[in-house]
Amino acid sequence: MKRFLLTSLAFVCAWMAQAKVTLPQLFQSGMVVQRDKPIPVWGVADVGEEVTVTFKKKMYKTVADVQGRWRIDIPKQKHGGPFEMKVNDITISDVLIGDVWLCSGQSNIDVTLERVHPQYSEETLSYANDQIRLFRVQNDEATHGPKGDIRATSWKPLNKQNAWYFSAVGYFLGREMYEKKGIPQGIIVNSRGGTPIQAWLDADTLKKNFPMQYRRTQFYQDDEMVRNMQRANQLALNRWQKVMDEGDPGLFEGYANRDFDDTHWSTKYQYDNISGERMYHGSYWARQQVKVDAAHAGQSARLLVGTLYDADYTFVNGKEVGRTSYQYPPRRYTIPAGLLQEGDNALSIRFVTRGGNPHFIKDKPYKLIFDDGVEIPLSTEWRVHEGARMTYCPQMDVNTPNLPSVLYNAMLHPLAPYPLSGVVWYQGESNTDDGNIYEQMLTELVTGWRQLWQTPDLPFVIVQLANFMEASDKPQDTGWSRIREAQRLATCHIPNTALACIIDLGEAVDIHPLRKREVAQRIAMGFEHLLWNKKLMLSPQVVSSQSDGNDVVLTLDQPIRTDGELYEFEVAAADGRFVNAPATAQGNRIIIHSPVSVPKTVRYAWKNNPAKANAFGKNDLPMSPFQHVIRQD
């Protein structure tokens, strides 16, 4: 009898453990749920188990289906909180009801507050707001279809500690929307640097519309093959690094030391090709002396060495003070107290490149900053010397996060149907060779995500690519221009979408421009227009055109506030060869004086970096780059 009771008790305990209800990662204490929409709560349990959700003193019940799945839709609620939600024996506390925004795309969404904060006031560092909650979807990928949930993560209130390595665009969007509406804001970020739009499309869409992309993912569905390829890549990289380190005289002859004699090294201007090669693989050294006075000797300091290509190891007086493994992050290193000495101090940088040329990026800060605010600018002259020249490091093409559908499967699909106010899509840099199909892919993405959320009018704000790369006075036809046009056209024909034009917020030398607050402000204006104020004017758009002799007259939906001449306009005759054309604004019309007879097409800001573009509308928003066929009378 005793054995029977023990056995029965063990069975009951095991059954109770199995019967435990589980919820998606989104449902945690501190979460924000969407106001004025039904709130679906879902999860898994044992088949046939009763599930009870208690929220705001009301109970809602259902039973898990034959697959153990269950869902309860709580009626729509007004904003407010904090509240408590109970799901069987699970208690979720500190629940707010407000607006929830999904920010997705690639690295420009990923760019953190830590990276951009010097662009803004110190107020950014001290700002905290418990009414704004941040939720970061952790990186993941899946080649075999959608996952049931995302990796472990949590909701966090907005403060410096939680926001520091959170998306800067997401952070500023939360602040902007809170300031506009005064109600709780939830920011969900699921982005991944370097990824193409194909990674965010579902497999059925790819199979139907882009079969080559679909078969590419199918190829990588052999897990053992992928593991072996990844292992081989890592072994090759490790071996390449080991051979380079063993062959680099700088590591055992003290190139970084303060007293190292570099007088026999070459002297190069900072922005020259310091290796002198068209393509260089391996390590390369650069040194200079930084003079420190007696008052600052021994003090700690911040060292800013701009942005470097590609990886770097940075030393002061022989001690490593920082390293970065790839080109984009700003180099902001801390020099500890006691390291700097009175007089000359050796600053040494060991560049490592696996393809390209080691170089310093222009228009970035290069200086030493002490706590009292005293700054010592670095010299633009460096002593340079080859370290270990290497062969190319062979790598197999197995970048799984970039495969079609894998991010949709792992990072997007599990979030639905968590209700949203709107979606930010900020991507395109990795698709600049796909201008001919990007509009279609973007259309499929918006349509597919709306179907997944079962919300056919879910608002989307598409952030257009910023200006980037060296400016040119001559006409260009580039992949960046074609992607911008695809983004613009998509928002013209997809209902309930808006374009956030940021053609004036980029940087020639940085694919990740720092002015993310301004980006977020324009995103917020897009949502304001879509959700609450249709009369709010966004970027100027061409309504009609006509040809008047050799002049082209564009009529816009609003006046242009720019006085005098407008730049970055081009026209082409039937031969399709574009030439620069002067233009002026007259209210809501732009008059373009064509240098060619019978102009057929006009385009604006159709360059990688149309630095002179100066057509702005009534709300200080820039006119989007565009290409337009002129109506012939």
Side-chain angles (χ1 to χ4, degrees):
M1 184 69 177
K2 184 177 181 181
R3 178 183 297 177
F4 172 77
L5 291 173
L6 290 173
T7 302
S8 299
L9 182 59
F11 174 80
V12 170
C13 290
W15 180 85
M16 290 179 65
Q18 291 175 353
K20 183 177 176 65
V21 170
T22 60
L23 294 165
Q25 286 291 315
L26 280 162
F27 291 90
Q28 297 187 49
S29 295
M31 69 182 185
V32 181
V33 294
Q34 179 60 44
R35 62 172 169 149
D36 301 332
K37 291 183 180 181
I39 303 169
V41 183
W42 73 95
V44 295
D46 272 8
V47 174
E49 182 179 359
E50 184 176 83
V51 179
T52 301
V53 175
T54 306
F55 188 62
K56 295 176 69 175
K57 299 181 180 181
K58 293 187 177 182
M59 296 178 63
Y60 310 87
K61 293 186 177 183
T62 190
V63 175
D65 65 17
V66 295
Q67 295 178 315
R69 298 173 181 170
W70 59 269
R71 170 174 166 173
I72 290 173
D73 287 351
I74 298 174
K76 59 185 180 180
Q77 307 285 323
K78 293 183 179 180
H79 69 269
F83 303 107
E84 181 179 271
M85 178 184 291
K86 287 189 175 181
V87 183
N88 283 18
D89 61 344
I90 301 172
T91 299
I92 305 172
S93 60
D94 193 23
V95 177
L96 300 180
I97 303 174
D99 288 329
V100 181
W101 311 97
L102 175 63
C103 301
S104 193
Q106 59 178 115
S107 55
N108 268 300
I109 284 283
D110 274 349
V111 167
T112 63
L113 181 64
E114 183 276 334
R115 188 183 295 191
V116 309
H117 84 272
Q119 187 77 22
Y120 303 101
S121 69
E122 290 299 309
E123 180 264 344
T124 298
L125 303 181
S126 60
Y127 182 82
N129 189 336
D130 186 61
Q131 294 289 294
I132 304 174
R133 306 289 172 81
L134 312 176
F135 187 89
R136 171 72 214 194
V137 178
Q138 300 302 305
N139 286 348
D140 198 5
E141 63 262 3
T143 58
H144 294 282
K147 287 191 169 185
D149 200 3
I150 57 175
R151 292 175 55 197
T153 186
S154 63
W155 288 93
K156 298 177 181 179
L158 189 153
N159 56 42
K160 180 185 173 183
Q161 179 181 355
N162 295 332
W164 201 233
Y165 294 109
F166 191 77
S167 161
V169 169
Y171 165 88
F172 285 120
L173 178 62
R175 290 187 58 172
E176 193 72 19
M177 299 310 291
Y178 182 81
E179 290 169 9
K180 284 178 177 290
K181 302 301 171 184
I183 66 171
Q185 301 293 318
I187 305 295
I188 301 172
V189 171
N190 72 330
S191 55
R192 192 152 183 183
T195 55
I197 192 173
Q198 293 93 319
W200 299 94
L201 291 170
D202 67 279
D204 289 342
T205 293
L206 291 169
K207 186 176 182 179
K208 178 181 178 181
N209 299 292
F210 310 101
M212 285 290 289
Q213 298 288 340
Y214 173 73
R215 285 191 285 271
R216 186 164 167 247
T217 299
Q218 283 187 305
F219 175 77
Y220 286 98
Q221 287 180 351
D222 185 327
D223 294 340
E224 182 180 4
M225 178 193 77
V226 170
R227 282 194 299 270
N228 287 334
M229 293 173 73
Q230 291 174 333
R231 182 173 181 271
N233 279 347
Q234 190 59 54
L235 288 171
L237 182 58
N238 292 346
R239 183 64 182 168
W240 189 89
Q241 183 80 30
K242 184 174 187 293
V243 171
M244 179 185 64
D245 290 347
E246 290 175 346
D248 188 341
L251 296 180
F252 48 85
E253 293 182 11
Y255 285 6
N257 292 344
R258 186 186 187 209
D259 58 358
F260 178 79
D261 182 7
D262 60 16
T263 55
H264 61 288
W265 287 15
S266 301
T267 300
K268 285 289 184 76
Y269 173 60
Q270 180 164 290
Y271 302 119
D272 284 347
N273 180 344
I274 63 174
S275 74
E277 304 283 343
R278 186 181 66 84
M279 183 72 69
Y280 186 89
H281 308 282
S283 62
Y284 215 92
W285 290 81
R287 280 173 52 96
Q288 68 170 262
Q289 298 294 326
V290 181
K291 191 175 292 294
V292 174
D293 61 24
H296 293 91
Q299 292 188 18
S300 63
R302 285 184 296 150
L303 173 64
L304 307 185
V305 278
T307 306
L308 308 172
Y309 187 89
D310 190 16
D312 75 283
Y313 301 79
T314 297
F315 305 84
V316 172
N317 292 336
K319 180 179 177 61
E320 183 180 330
V321 295
R323 65 174 68 177
T324 304
S325 62
Y326 66 112
Q327 71 182 91
Y328 295 119
R331 274 56 169 183
R332 302 178 187 141
Y333 299 142
T334 298
I335 301 176
L339 184 57
L340 291 172
Q341 301 180 32
E342 183 181 357
D344 287 338
N345 293 263
L347 169 60
S348 308
I349 298 174
R350 185 192 185 220
F351 290 88
V352 174
T353 58
R354 289 192 287 137
N357 261 310
H359 61 270
F360 298 87
I361 305 298
K362 293 181 178 179
D363 301 326
K364 296 293 182 180
Y366 293 88
K367 55 189 174 182
L368 208 62
I369 306 175
F370 292 96
D371 291 342
D372 62 2
V374 171
E375 298 184 0
I376 301 177
L378 302 185
S379 170
T380 55
E381 286 195 348
W382 295 79
R383 298 274 194 175
V384 300
H385 196 272
E386 183 177 302
R389 185 188 296 259
M390 295 289 292
T391 59
Y392 173 73
C393 180
Q395 299 274 280
M396 297 181 183
D397 179 17
V398 64
N399 192 355
T400 52
N402 287 11
L403 292 177
S405 295
V406 297
L407 302 185
Y408 175 92
N409 292 338
M411 298 175 64
L412 189 281
H413 188 277
L415 302 181
Y418 201 82
L420 306 169
S421 266
V423 178
V424 179
W425 179 250
Y426 190 172
Q427 190 276 340
E429 298 89 345
S430 290
N431 284 100
T432 52
D433 291 333
D434 297 320
N436 58 326
I437 59 171
Y438 191 84
E439 181 187 352
Q440 181 186 0
M441 289 193 291
L442 184 52
T443 302
E444 296 290 351
L445 181 137
V446 173
T447 302
W449 290 20
R450 285 174 170 175
Q451 290 173 349
L452 179 63
W453 260 267
Q454 298 181 330
T455 309
D457 60 348
L458 180 63
F460 272 72
V461 171
I462 311 300
V463 183
Q464 197 177 46
L465 292 185
N467 49 308
F468 175 53
M469 293 181 274
E470 186 176 355
S472 173
D473 290 329
K474 298 179 180 179
Q476 296 177 326
D477 188 14
T478 70
W480 280 68
S481 296
R482 293 180 180 274
I483 292 296
R484 292 190 193 111
E485 181 71 345
Q487 292 168 326
R488 184 187 72 85
L489 292 173
T491 60
C492 288
H493 73 74
I494 305 174
N496 220 33
T497 62
L499 185 72
C501 177
I502 58 170
I503 197 63
D504 59 325
L505 299 181
E507 298 180 35
V509 297
D510 199 336
I511 201 171
H512 304 122
L514 300 180
R515 296 173 65 186
K516 296 303 188 211
R517 183 170 201 164
E518 292 84 345
V519 173
Q521 288 169 341
R522 293 182 189 179
I523 293 170
M525 289 182 70
F527 284 126
E528 181 77 21
H529 170 82
L530 294 174
L531 288 164
W532 302 295
N533 183 8
K534 293 292 184 183
K535 294 182 179 180
L536 177 67
M537 301 300 294
L538 300 180
S539 290
Q541 298 186 56
V542 176
V543 175
S544 64
S545 66
Q546 64 183 49
S547 178
D548 182 9
N550 276 13
D551 285 349
V552 177
V553 180
L554 303 178
T555 301
L556 309 180
D557 63 350
Q558 60 188 281
I560 293 295
R561 67 165 175 79
T562 311
D563 294 327
E565 188 171 358
L566 300 177
Y567 301 100
E568 304 289 9
F569 281 90
E570 303 163 7
V571 294
D575 62 4
R577 298 181 63 181
F578 283 88
V579 296
N580 293 331
T584 54
Q586 295 180 2
N588 69 333
R589 301 195 310 163
I590 295 176
I591 315 300
I592 305 167
H593 308 290
S594 173
V596 300
S597 300
V598 195
K600 298 288 186 182
T601 310
V602 60
R603 64 191 189 191
Y604 169 70
W606 196 269
K607 297 173 180 177
N608 290 329
N609 184 5
K612 296 181 180 179
N614 64 334
F616 286 78
K618 61 181 300 183
N619 287 320
D620 292 332
L621 295 178
M623 185 162 66
S624 166
F626 67 84
Q627 183 166 281
H628 179 83
V629 177
I630 303 162
R631 192 188 76 184
Q632 303 296 321
D633 292 330

